[in-house]
Amino acid sequence: MIETRAKYATPGQVRAALTSLMPPLADFWSRSLRDYAAFAYQPVPFRPASAARSFAKDRLRDAVTRAALRAGHGHQEARSAGRELYESPVVQTGPHCLMLYEPDAFYTHLFSLMGLQAYGRNWHIAYAGSTMSFNEAAKKGPGWLRVGGEPLNVFGLPRSRMDGSSICCSNGPLRFSLTNAAGQIAPNAAAARLVGQLPSSSFQTAAEAIKTANGKLWNGGMSSIAKLLLLDDFDLADLIADHLDHSGSWLTTAVFSGGGAASIVQTIDGLTSGPWRGWIRRSTDFFWLVGRDRIQPLRLEGGFLRSPNSTSLAIEFTPSSISEALRKHMLLPNLFMSFLVLSILPGIRALGGCRQTVYLPLMRYLVAIAIARSGDQSLLDDLWNDDRPSLWGHRVLRPTKGDPFLEMERAGAVEHLLALYADMPLIEASGDLVAFTGDPIWEGTYRSLFSGLTGPACSQWAWSGFAR
């Protein structure tokens, strides 16, 4: 299906802006998708790391191992997932928590498989952000899937249960049904076949249901190249708690002590009033509060996280109190905290989409200021020397009329699909770039870049890995 939406920038303007911010792209627009995937997944050169980076990388390796065990892998396999990320630190963070056969997710996973295939990697490790809501767009997002030519409600939920509800909240039980507007379950032959491949059990959260289903679907048709491991926000909540449980960790000493968090908030507010405004939004301060049906924003005030919706709720902003709330799943990290422990501190390259290509480098700028303030010059050197720490890697392959489930059925093996797309030039494979052109922030960024208000030489872009 061809997606239609308002256009604020042309594909040519978007490509010019991306190339300005990430100059290596200039060499890839006319080259094959396979070549760009190999570039995106090229292993990061090993360098001796600071104590803070080594600590963060060790904690992430342990978190990956735990997640693999929870996903049902054996101890040896789980440890191999942790080791592989340690040795080849690249993660896909674009699709978030969407069904495997949702086009934005599926074709991004195909792109990642091309990159992993180039280096003989065994694990596809991806961040499946789960602080999304059901109502992402009309009949799109985590609650919808187009199968057999029609949009289907993944869990058969009425609108009253979907509007504003967060997929990470415990508002189940939920079961897969793939229901059309008339309430028919699996109303076409393709949907009936897919329902037969989905878990039949019930789940308390949509995020857990989608993650479990994706693992099962992946093993049924895509694991011949690499095993899938999805990290969600609950995994990252535990990872942050691991940092906070160590009194000497950088997160504990630099962010939770001595006004570090307040300084970061102040720097974010500064970004929102300058030429980079809009890229990092202060939707919540560091964490979300997990409610029954939706997540709620929090504000850091007077050493406490407080909910604007409740005068009685206050969580002390100390390592022990936040760690306890994270372990109990009362809190989930916002994007800044997620990328801090998943990518920025451990030195992991994160592949993302139309917004992440800019907001992650700006987050690195925020962290660089905090590191300099903490006096950890070794960690600051690590951050400066990171190799392509943020790259465009989501919606890089975007067929205009793709139908993932039927494509997989017709192909018979994922290798055949990879061969079908691998030789396409990047400029052709990425299509009309509608996710960029339909986003007004890219029009403003294009104008700022080519009028000199922003650009690769400005201080906010200095920590992107492309400015030196």
Side-chain angles (χ1 to χ4, degrees), residues 118-360:
Y119 301 102
R121 295 298 171 184
N122 297 312
W123 287 91
H124 173 32
I125 299 175
Y127 167 46
S130 51
T131 54
M132 309 167 70
S133 62
F134 277 116
N135 57 339
E136 292 294 300
K139 296 189 177 181
K140 284 181 66 66
W144 296 92
L145 187 64
R146 181 170 286 270
V147 185
E150 58 182 315
L152 302 178
N153 188 318
V154 171
F155 301 106
L157 295 176
R159 185 171 181 175
S160 60
R161 285 193 63 189
M162 295 182 75
D163 282 354
S165 295
S166 303
I167 65 170
C168 59
C169 294
S170 295
N171 46 21
L174 301 170
R175 292 180 182 272
F176 291 101
S177 65
L178 300 184
T179 306
N180 67 7
Q184 296 173 294
I185 296 176
N188 59 64
R193 294 194 299 274
L194 179 55
V195 164
Q197 299 174 28
L198 295 172
S200 59
S201 53
S202 63
F203 298 87
Q204 281 304 113
T205 72
E208 185 60 26
I210 291 170
K211 195 165 125 174
T212 302
N214 284 346
K216 185 175 181 182
L217 293 173
W218 187 277
N219 291 337
M222 300 179 73
S223 61
S224 57
I225 294 179
K227 294 179 280 287
L228 176 69
L229 181 62
L230 297 173
L231 303 174
D232 64 16
D233 288 304
F234 292 105
D235 295 312
L236 296 192
D238 287 340
L239 173 57
I240 292 168
D242 291 343
H243 282 253
L244 297 180
D245 288 344
H246 287 74
S247 60
S249 74
W250 184 85
L251 191 59
T252 297
T253 59
V255 177
F256 283 77
S257 301
S263 177
I264 290 172
V265 168
Q266 185 178 20
T267 308
I268 292 173
D269 288 342
L271 279 175
T272 62
S273 61
W276 295 101
R277 60 184 173 274
W279 284 108
I280 296 181
R281 294 177 293 177
R282 196 179 160 194
S283 302
T284 188
D285 288 346
F286 303 105
F287 301 97
W288 294 99
L289 178 68
V290 182
R292 164 67 184 172
D293 291 309
R294 63 192 65 195
I295 55 173
Q296 301 173 24
L298 295 166
R299 286 289 175 260
L300 180 60
E301 298 173 352
F304 288 83
L305 287 177
R306 304 181 189 275
S307 169
N309 301 321
S310 172
T311 56
S312 62
L313 188 137
I315 302 173
E316 190 175 10
F317 198 74
T318 61
S320 59
S321 294
I322 297 298
S323 174
E324 181 181 7
L326 289 167
R327 301 279 191 204
K328 291 180 177 178
H329 295 168
M330 291 173 54
L331 298 179
L332 285 178
N334 70 354
L335 276 176
F336 174 76
M337 290 298 292
S338 294
F339 279 105
L340 182 64
V341 296
L342 177 66
S343 172
I344 300 172
L345 288 179
I348 307 295
R349 182 183 301 146
L351 307 180
C354 62
R355 287 281 177 125
Q356 186 189 311
T357 52
V358 175
Y359 72 59
L360 181 51

Side-chain angles (χ1 to χ4, degrees), residues 389-413:
S390 175
L391 272 179
W392 176 40
H394 174 43
R395 298 191 181 108
V396 178
L397 172 62
R398 192 180 183 277
T400 55
K401 296 183 180 180
D403 189 327
F405 180 66
L406 293 179
E407 269 199 85
M408 268 298 294
E409 285 195 325
R410 287 194 295 265

Side-chain angles (χ1 to χ4, degrees), residues 98-111:
L98 296 170
M99 292 290 289
L100 178 64
Y101 289 124
E102 200 282 331
D104 274 356
F106 182 77
Y107 294 111
T108 292
H109 290 310
L110 286 188
F111 171 76

